[in-house]
Amino acid sequence: MSKNIEGQLSLFEAQHKLIITEDLKSYFRSFNANKYDLDMFAFYGFDQFKSVRDEVGDYGGAPNYTNIVNVLPAHERCFVFMEYFTHVSVYAIRLYEHSSSINEIYAICGDSFKVVANSFTEFLELYFSEDQSIYI
């Protein structure tokens, strides 16, 4: 385990005043690259973990994400950890100021979104079982 990643995780939490879930921290400790899999999903490393606004909020292409910050509840607390097919959709986790047993995972496409899981672990289970419910 890299001390550098531990420092980055702590700094993120202090700067944003939000708690990164333990399952997501574990993922970031072991993963540091984003490569597309055969289904065109790309998981992000911690260095690419950005707010929805910073990741896609200004993207006016197809799909057009520019309205997502107006419709996604608490968008400033939602951070993108994965994309599908070069931003056709992105996946974000909602973080809280305190530890929470539920951290919604959103599938987002343009200004449409849906909750696809209630934790990062639950999302991974759906992803690895190729559950179609993760698509928007």
Side-chain angles (χ1 to χ4, degrees), residues 11 40 64-65 83 85 88 100 111 117:
L11 181 61
M40 296 304 295
N64 185 336
Y65 284 93
E83 68 171 312
F85 209 69
V88 165
S100 176
D111 63 359

Side-chain angles (χ1 to χ4, degrees), residues 21 23-24 27-28 41 43 49 52 72-73 77-83 90-96 101-108 113-127 133-136:
T21 61
D23 53 359
L24 189 58
Y27 158 76
F28 284 136
F41 286 98
F43 280 89
F49 188 58
V52 168
L72 181 66
R77 295 181 178 165
C78 297
F79 292 81
V80 177
F81 64 86
M82 185 174 91
E83 68 171 312
V90 295
Y91 294 82
I93 186 170
R94 181 173 176 180
L95 302 179
Y96 290 88
S101 61
I102 295 179
N103 290 85
E104 299 88 339
I105 303 296
Y106 294 98
I108 304 168
F113 64 91
K114 73 175 186 175
V115 174
V116 295
N118 287 314
S119 70
F120 186 67
T121 297
E122 181 183 339
F123 175 79
L124 290 177
E125 290 168 359
L126 294 170
Y127 170 80
S133 68
I134 68 170
Y135 293 96
I136 185 167

Side-chain angles (χ1 to χ4, degrees), residues 15-26:
Q15 287 177 333
H16 294 278
K17 296 180 177 44
L18 298 170
I19 303 296
I20 299 173
T21 61
E22 286 303 315
D23 53 359
L24 189 58
K25 284 181 182 180
S26 179

Side-chain angles (χ1 to χ4, degrees), residues 16 44 48-60 64-81 87 90-93 108 110:
H16 294 278
Y44 291 174
Q48 295 172 295
F49 188 58
K50 298 176 188 170
S51 69
V52 168
R53 176 186 298 276
D54 290 342
E55 181 66 13
V56 294
D58 292 330
Y59 186 74
N64 185 336
Y65 284 93
T66 57
N67 193 41
I68 192 63
V69 297
N70 298 315
V71 297
L72 181 66
H75 72 85
E76 67 281 355
R77 295 181 178 165
C78 297
F79 292 81
V80 177
F81 64 86
H87 288 100
V90 295
Y91 294 82
I93 186 170
I108 304 168

